[in-house]
Amino acid sequence: MKRVLLKLSGEALAGAKKTGFDEPTVTAVAKQVKTLVEEGIKVGIVIGGGNFWRGRSSESIDRTKADQIGMLATVMNCIYVSEIFRSQGMMTSVLTPFQCGEFTKAFSKDRVSKYFDHNMVVFFAGGTGHPYFSTDTATVLRAIEIEADTILLAKAVDGVYDSDPKDNPDAKKYDEISIQEVIDRKLGVVDMTASIMCMENKMPMQVFSLNERDGIVNAAHGINNGTKVTV
Ligand code: UDP
């Protein structure tokens, strides 16, 4: 693979604390991404916001405003992770689809290409910039736009199961499954909007556990210890 889009959930950054940041966890991610960058692989990153806020977190405020808070949570996450990456010796940039003053730069495909040419890791913060979407949709959208070979979906679970392994001890893990089947069986690997975008634009995904040793490197090398979602 030459170009990948890594998606990290917000909770993944928080480790066992579930909220805020867990520096050892993020540093471990940084070391793996550095391996890929040194191999010449271009890495784009989308991070969720669930360690701070989700649009669904409040029933009393307007959803559009609640989603704006969620999008800003993803900006905080990207700035933090970007700085940890820099502390590990990588060059990074944080791009957003809306203005954040001097904190970030505006997303454009040309800008991403230029940064990738300079071996920078590019963070796509702020989701799609629109309410009622998610960082799942932002992940697929940016992966398509930057012409990624695949999406690397780092999760708390180690792949795609036919039912929730937390509820069902007999849940079966797939080594490989088509995105059509993910949609038909409502498996929720990514949300439905993102799944349809993957299908329509033929964007494959590698789903694996962030707890897997070298999971990100393995997935980028096509070593599939989780689930390959095919198109
Ligand atoms: N969000 C949004 N538009 C986007 C991306 C994210 O409105 O394009 C908001 C939404 O409120 C979401 C929150 O940011 O709940 C955090 O994003 P994430 O994808 O982690 O949320 P989840 O899917 O877990 O709700």
Side-chain angles (χ1 to χ4, degrees):
M1 305 206 191
K2 293 193 162 52
R3 196 173 275 214
V4 294
L5 194 304
L6 172 64
K7 162 77 195 291
L8 303 167
S9 71
E11 295 99 320
L13 305 185
K17 292 187 287 186
K18 303 270 182 220
T19 174
F21 303 123
D22 182 59
E23 204 155 301
T25 303
V26 181
T27 306
V29 170
K31 289 188 170 141
Q32 291 192 62
V33 172
K34 193 173 183 201
T35 302
L36 302 183
V37 173
E38 285 171 352
E39 289 171 355
I41 298 174
K42 313 299 180 196
V43 185
I45 300 193
V46 171
I47 306 176
N51 53 329
F52 285 122
W53 180 267
R54 293 193 164 92
R56 304 182 299 281
S57 297
S58 169
E59 285 178 5
S60 42
I61 67 167
D62 178 65
R63 172 69 189 264
T64 298
K65 299 288 165 36
D67 282 341
Q68 288 172 352
I69 300 170
M71 287 184 263
L72 289 171
T74 73
V75 177
M76 293 196 290
N77 282 342
C78 284
I79 293 174
Y80 176 82
V81 178
S82 161
E83 286 305 307
I84 296 287
F85 277 33
R86 287 181 182 195
S87 76
Q88 296 298 311
M90 282 174 275
M91 290 183 295
T92 63
S93 184
V94 180
L95 307 184
T96 45
F98 45 80
Q99 289 246 339
C100 285
E102 298 303 312
F103 293 6
T104 66
K105 291 202 161 59
F107 169 84
S108 82
K109 184 174 177 177
D110 287 347
R111 184 166 263 158
V112 176
S113 301
K114 196 174 85 188
Y115 289 167
F116 277 164
D117 286 345
H118 288 89
N119 292 323
M120 293 168 82
V121 176
V122 183
F123 289 83
F124 304 114
T128 61
H130 298 284
Y132 297 97
F133 287 93
S134 65
T135 52
D136 282 351
T137 20
T139 299
V140 181
L141 176 65
R142 295 303 184 224
I144 296 163
E145 284 181 284
I146 67 166
E147 300 173 55
D149 298 308
T150 191
I151 291 169
L152 308 180
L153 205 59
K155 292 227 171 210
V157 282
D158 62 351
V160 181
Y161 284 78
D162 61 354
S163 55
D164 192 337
K166 274 192 259 137
D167 304 333
N168 176 12
D170 297 325
K172 177 179 149 283
K173 189 176 116 185
Y174 297 97
D175 291 330
E176 195 173 307
I177 186 170
S178 70
I179 188 70
Q180 182 70 63
E181 201 174 343
V182 167
I183 293 167
D184 292 347
R185 300 181 65 138
K186 297 193 173 61
L187 294 177
V189 180
V190 286
D191 60 39
M192 195 53 91
T193 313
S195 300
I196 301 281
M197 284 176 70
C198 267
M199 188 181 69
E200 287 184 341
N201 296 281
K202 301 197 170 17
M203 178 55 65
M205 293 186 280
Q206 315 267 353
V207 186
F208 58 96
S209 168
L210 193 61
N211 296 322
E212 179 191 327
R213 196 182 159 80
D214 291 330
I216 296 169
V217 175
N218 289 340
H221 288 171
I223 300 166
N224 180 29
N225 293 319
T227 302
K228 196 182 270 185
V229 179
T230 63
V231 287

